[in-house]
Every structure is written in structure tokens, then in C-alpha cells.
Amino acid sequence: MTETTDTSPGWLSRTEIEDARGRLPIVYVNAVPVRVDDSGAVTSVGLLLGVAPDETISRSLVSGRVLYHERIRDALLRHLEKDLGPVALPHVPASPQPFTVAEYFPTPGITPFHDPRQHAVSLAYVVPVTGDCRPRQDALDLVWFSPEEAAGDSVQQEMSGGQGVLLRQALAHAGLVP
Amino acid sequence: MTETTDTSPGWLSRTEIEDARGRLPIVYVNAVPVRVDDSGAVTSVGLLLGVAPDETISRSLVSGRVLYHERIRDALLRHLEKDLGPVALPHVPASPQPFTVAEYFPTPGITPFHDPRQHAVSLAYVVPVTGDCRPRQDALDLVWFSPEEAAGDSVQQEMSGGQGVLLRQALAHAGLVP
Amino acid sequence: MTETTDTSPGWLSRTEIEDARGRLPIVYVNAVPVRVDDSGAVTSVGLLLGVAPDETISRSLVSGRVLYHERIRDALLRHLEKDLGPVALPHVPASPQPFTVAEYFPTPGITPFHDPRQHAVSLAYVVPVTGDCRPRQDALDLVWFSPEEAAGDSVQQEMSGGQGVLLRQALAHAGLVP
Amino acid sequence: MTETTDTSPGWLSRTEIEDARGRLPIVYVNAVPVRVDDSGAVTSVGLLLGVAPDETISRSLVSGRVLYHERIRDALLRHLEKDLGPVALPHVPASPQPFTVAEYFPTPGITPFHDPRQHAVSLAYVVPVTGDCRPRQDALDLVWFSPEEAAGDSVQQEMSGGQGVLLRQALAHAGLVP
């Protein structure tokens, strides 16, 4: 799972997390930030922009770990604020029902999702944001795409670990062409 | 289904609607207006207040017909505006997936839902509203209840046609005690 | 919507249905028949095969109208039996929540779904079938595809009215690559 | 969460699990076993029967941990077989989308769910079973209830940790009176 570095304080040291990651599935959230029109229909999708060590462009969804004693909706808010800034005004859905559960395995091919570092069970939500997005960390930028662009080959090839599939599953859930 | 009178212009005269209602299932929407906190959690539920012919109090969800060539999300907006006023600022969900489909039959007992006038197939959504609600029609008022009150016997007894059940199904979907 | 002719008895004559179709949205169901393995994972998808008047091949999902006073799950069973035969043993989901609602408009472009004859509001379900499928009507055949084939260009080009999109939305819902 | 003892082999010793339980949210599954009729409608709900140390009767849903490198649907199958026996023939849903996510906190009152031992994030599914259920472990029995009985006060009082709420949310999801 292409994930931005999780710098939020947790209850585990980095070494301890690494240890747990090799032995337990880790609870994650994935958020697909979207702009919607007055009728709630999705008009664009926000993707984080990064540069991989080999200088290729990489795009990713908002994602991160759920901490001990943290509610899922608080984890969503925390990671959205981390990646989109403090005035993005995300509207986390009223229901805890995710549109899907992405199972990232360290072994490729078991599901469409892969994370070499860990077995992550990620609850995925489409989250409308109505404010101003100002990514503030890790030199990441946020770029908005039309649903058609988001599902297109160009964007899909810049996503890794199956996040392109998850993005298309999100579009499908929103009633769009996946 | 306790429904507020549908005064919006349609493609059918009243007589023609009555005729169709006896012969085809009619497409409806039901909306459960809610207030949410910053994390998206439901804090209160809005119910319309009416007075039945026998002067008993009656509470109901937002509901109404989907017109020919009208999208479901436009029908939701139209009925929400009709019942909550023009500045209620409803946030219709990004996904067309309803939390349930309530099948109102003219014959009681087939499902938990009953409408003596028609067979209505109603797509039900939880809709956060962030603006000012000013019911403007039919002397209806809108009253906000805590989720606990909404699921309680007192409110449930003031709802008819199974809308109390639908309200509790909405609470369940929102992760609350139904 | 490419639909097999609905020969089941209804409450309306063909002329009356045609009349209503021009003036009211019509309630439909769409079923995506699938084979699943012991763990419930989808292994193949069944598509109906037809030959269009211009002799091109056309593939479609199970679909049809919901009759007056008919439950959605009974309409699903009726159309599945009509298209897959009496011993297909379909497992209609326990929940009435569809994975999406496909809105077929007579005007193309409003949604991904189009039906020149009518405005159909179609509740869509993935339905595992465990029995023997023997299509029995209109010389239709049923062909099973792997999820990859079903999402591929070849199959997609043989589907019309947006049913290829709906099929891919169903794959997304099942956790597969859409 | 009233859970039957998890005797399946994992990658962690009991001491290590206890340690992780105090520091990371643990991935769980909850299954609500149901009997359905030919149309897929739920006709009864299966609850496990246990006897608490104080000799009071306790009823619970199928539940348990997801192991490292185990798919959710395999965890569901494993716990269903553990609690219902090898010939229960569970039909795990085709979609990974749970009907809800129950967040069990060690601190009561944050959500309707509570587990004094851990922070568990539990993906909840309604699972039709068509075979013969023979609970085989821990002297647990399985008792079938009508949906009305399952939602009633008597059964609800015999469930703890919020599982009664989760059961009613499952009934709501299945279109029944919660």
C-alpha cells in the first residue's frame, strides 16, 4: 500500500510496529477524497502525488493506520487532515459501513491488493471534501481528476499496491464508470 | 406511507396517478434527515410533525415520488427542499446505494411497510443537513430528536405505515442502537 | 436495457405498459448471476447471449420488471428462473440493499445507463447460483466468463445500454478488478 | 465481546496476543448465522448458548480473530466451522462489504460495543447456513430464534458487550424489524 509516512504519535514505537506488522493483521483506513456537486454526485477525485525513490511519479489515496483506542471515523479525520491540511472540511459518512474492505497482503496475488511491509485490513470510504486542500507534509501534492481521468490508464499506471483498483471500486460505488 | 402531499408538477394528472397506483409499483424515495458532528457521527434525527384527521400527532420521514425522467438524487433534493425549506443544505450521499429498500404494499403484513393507496418501492437514504430547516408547507413542523428518543416507544407510536421501522433501520445503518 | 421479453402475466396489457413507460419511472431488477467457491468468492459470471436484428452478438444481465404487488426478491426469482431455468438454484441475498441502483433513462448521457423505451429504476444484485442453468426462452444461451474476461473489452463491447458498466460495478462490489 | 475461546493455531503465543491486545486494534469478524427461505428472506437466527461463570445464560454471535495472512472470508469460514461444526454449509457473501463495522472498545460507552480485553474492530456479516449445525466445542449449543424473538427483550438481555445491538443491526440490514 503506497502510504504516506505515519508520523502521528501512537502507542507503539517504530520497532514494535515493525514487529507487530509481521505477526498480526493491522487495521487501516483508506479514504477517496472527492468533490461533489449540489446533488451529491461526484465531479472529481483527489489523488496524492509523490515521487518514488527511482524518481517516477506515484499517486495514492489517503491511507493510514487506526490507532489503539481510536474510532475509525477519528482515524479517517486524522489521516485526511494529515494529507489534505486542516481546512479541507471532509464529510466522513454517517454510516460505518465501508464501500469495501481492501485486504493488502505481503504476498502478491491473493487479493488485488499488496503491501510488502504488512498484512493490512483496510476499511475504504468515499469522503466528500468541501474546503481548501493544502497538503502539508512530505512534499506531497493533491491533484484533482475527473472520474474519467481517474479510471484511465495514465492515472492507473501511476498507482501501486492495488490502489488503482480500489479507486475504480470507489468510482463504481459512486455510480460512475469504473 | 405517511407522505406529505406532492404538489410538485409531474407528467401525470392526479387521476392518472391514482390509476397507475393501482396497477404498477411506484418509485419512491425516503430520506432520514440527520445532524452530524465533525466526525460525521449522527447526533440527532429530524422528523416531520403532522396532525392526522383524528387530531392525533403523526411523525414522518421525508418521502415522495420519483418523477418521469428525474434522477433519484434530484428527487431526494426536491422532496428535502419541499419539506425542510430552501436553505436546509442537504448532503445527498455520493453513492446511489440506498441503506435499504422499503417495499410499501397496499396489503399489510407482507413486509413491515404498508401504504393503503399504492405499492411503493422506496429507496431509503440517511441525509445529513447542515443548514437551517424551515418547513414551509402543509403546516408541517420539523422536530429534532436524539437517536435514543427516535428509537424510543413514544416516537415510534407516532409513526405509521412502518416508517418507525425504517427510522430504526436507518439508525442501525448509522451504527447506532436501533 | 437489453432485456429478454417479459412474458410473465402482469396486471397491465402491453398497450397499457407502453403508455405507463412514457410517463412514470418503471421499477426493475437486474441480477448478475455468479458462481462462487466454498469461501463465497466469485469465480465466474454468467451472461445471457442473444443475437441482435443486425446479427451481431449481444450479451446481457438478467433483468425485468417488478410487477404490482410483487416483492423485489420474488421478481428476482421469477426473472432468474425465466432466464436460467427452473433448477438454477439462485441464492437471492438476505438483505434488500442492492449493490447499486441503475437509472436507465430514455435520453442517453444522463447516467451511464440508457433504455430508449423507458425510464427504468433498476435495483441491482449479485446472485450466486449453485444449480444447473438451462436457459429456456427466446433461444438465449448462458455463457460463463472468468471475472477478468467479463471486465475485458471483448465482452464489454457486446453489452449495450450500460449493462457492461453495471457488470463492472458488480465485479467491484464483489472485491474484484472492475 | 463474548467470544468463544479461539483455539485455532495462530502466529502468536497467548502471551504475545495479550500484549498486542493492549496496544493495537485487533481485526475481528462477527457472523450472524441465519436460515433463509427459497426467496432468500431470513426466517430464523442462530445464537450460540453459553453459561457464564455466575451460571447465568449467555448468548452470542459467531466471532473471532482474523489471523496474520488470512483472508476475511477464510476467517469467517474457520470461525463458523469452529462454532457450527463441519457440515453447517455456510454461504459467505460474495461481497467483502460488511453490513457494519462493530468497534469494541475496552472503555464502555464510546460505541455501543465493549470488550474489556481489547480494542477489536469487527467486520460483521449475515451468513445463511443451509446444512446441519452441530456445535462441537466448549459445550456450546446453537439455538434458532425467529427474527421477532431475536430482537425481543428476553434474548437481548442474555447478550453482552453490545452483541444484542449488533444482532438487531443485522436484522435491520436484512429488512426486518430490528
Side-chain angles (χ1 to χ4, degrees), chain B residues 3-27:
Chain B
E3 178 210 8
T4 58
T5 309
D6 185 346
T7 59
S8 303
W11 275 255
L12 295 183
S13 73
R14 178 147 297 277
T15 312
E16 289 168 318
I17 293 174
E18 292 310 316
D19 190 46
R21 277 181 164 150
R23 307 171 79 169
L24 277 178
I26 306 295
V27 184

Side-chain angles (χ1 to χ4, degrees), chain C residues 86-102:
Chain C
V87 291
L89 299 180
H91 294 256
V92 173
S95 171
Q97 185 182 40
F99 73 85
T100 197
V101 179

Side-chain angles (χ1 to χ4, degrees), chain B residues 97 99-100 112-113 151 165 168-178, chain D residues 97 99-100 112-113 151 165 168-178:
Chain B
Q97 185 182 41
F99 71 86
T100 199
F113 309 104
V165 171
R168 290 167 62 205
Q169 291 176 339
L171 293 169
H173 178 69
L176 299 167
V177 180
Chain D
Q97 184 182 42
F99 73 84
T100 198
F113 309 104
V165 171
R168 289 168 60 206
Q169 291 177 338
L171 293 171
H173 178 68
L176 300 167
V177 181

